[in-house]
Amino acid sequence: DIQMTQSPSSLSASIGDRVTITCRASQDIRNAIAWFQQKPGKAPNLLIYAVSKLQSGVPSRFSGSGSGTDYTLTINSLQPEDFATYYCQHYYNNPRTFGQGTKVEVK
Amino acid sequence: QVRLQESGPGLVKPSGTLSLTCAVSGVSIGGTDWWTWVRQSPRNGLEWIGQVYHSGSTDYNPSLRSRVTISVDKSKSQFSLKLTSVTAADTAIYYCARDVGGAPDPWGQGILVTVSS
């Protein structure tokens, strides 16, 4: 199985901050990566797929980048509704696997 | 608007079989998408269980393959999950989702299944 290692596991940030979350795959996943946001008691919500493609309805302050084994989710100008847990997931092959999550908390 | 809704027992006895159904609306289950089950627990985080195509083709997580069956019923626009020989380690929130080119979207609201006697 491909292991997805996310960092950091948590971070504290303020409204307006730029936040960066990274995900490292245990092998090249050829850009087959998605990012999700999850709020307490809710299902994960797809933000980005194929490294940098924004899902419909997702604000443009979210962006993704990377290649090979290293990928990044960036939130520009953090908003109150962005405090949540974020997960990466590869879909290069089966089984798809997820990162362990990054919790973005209020500083 | 595509919607998915999980249903089934919230409590299953150890060594029993977990059976869940996902009702799909707003899109044809017989289209080009795969249909996926994912579970989430504090112990294992998010775990991909497997997926089914409308033809009945399936892919399973090797870690669960010996115990899992995912099937589809096009006439009812639903797909199902069966997990046998459950233990406390199978206690989790179970989500169904549409797989759009690899990324699950959207997800159902999830259903908590507890394995306990």
Side-chain angles (χ1 to χ4, degrees):
Chain A
D1 300 3
I2 296 174
Q3 306 304 313
M4 303 295 285
T5 303
Q6 252 183 271
S7 61
S9 56
S10 65
L11 63 89
S12 298
S14 301
I15 301 300
D17 282 355
R18 184 184 191 199
V19 168
T20 298
I21 298 168
T22 63
C23 199
R24 173 164 288 177
S26 58
Q27 67 180 71
D28 187 347
I29 55 172
R30 305 292 178 95
N31 296 345
I33 187 167
W35 292 93
F36 299 86
Q37 177 193 68
Q38 186 177 33
K39 295 183 178 179
K42 300 292 188 182
N45 182 49
L46 177 65
L47 297 174
I48 288 172
Y49 61 98
V51 181
S52 59
K53 297 184 190 298
L54 239 59
Q55 179 67 341
S56 176
V58 174
S60 59
R61 62 180 179 273
F62 291 92
S63 63
S65 62
S67 63
T69 60
D70 295 323
Y71 299 88
T72 298
L73 172 70
T74 299
I75 311 172
N76 283 303
S77 189
L78 195 69
Q79 297 301 298
E81 59 269 29
D82 300 337
F83 292 101
T85 301
Y86 294 84
Y87 296 92
C88 61
Q89 179 225 326
H90 86 82
Y91 49 93
Y92 176 68
N93 61 11
N94 293 333
R96 287 86 186 278
T97 53
F98 294 83
Q100 76 275 24
T102 297
K103 187 173 184 179
V104 177
E105 300 175 299
V106 178
K107 181 182 281 185
Chain B
Q1 183 179 5
V2 179
R3 289 184 179 236
L4 294 92
Q5 178 71 56
E6 306 88 350
S7 62
L11 181 64
V12 182
K13 287 184 166 41
S15 76
T17 296
L18 180 159
S19 296
L20 297 175
T21 296
C22 181
V24 177
S25 61
V27 68
S28 171
I29 202 169
T32 59
D33 301 315
W34 286 73
W35 302 94
T36 294
W37 288 97
V38 176
R39 68 182 182 179
Q40 185 173 30
S41 65
R43 170 179 173 156
N44 294 321
L46 286 161
E47 182 178 25
W48 182 82
I49 298 171
Q51 60 184 10
V52 65
Y53 196 60
H54 64 78
S55 63
S57 295
T58 52
D59 290 311
Y60 297 134
N61 191 320
S63 68
L64 297 169
R65 182 175 288 133
S66 64
R67 298 192 293 130
V68 69
T69 302
I70 300 175
S71 59
V72 63
D73 186 336
K74 289 186 289 184
S75 66
K76 295 182 178 178
S77 193
Q78 63 185 35
F79 62 106
S80 300
L81 169 69
K82 288 191 188 302
L83 185 66
T84 62
S85 304
V86 296
T87 69
D90 295 308
T91 294
I93 298 172
Y94 286 76
Y95 296 101
C96 60
R98 182 179 68 168
D99 185 301
V100 183
D105 181 70
W107 299 51
Q109 66 182 29
I111 183 169
L112 173 63
V113 180
T114 301
V115 178
S116 174
S117 55

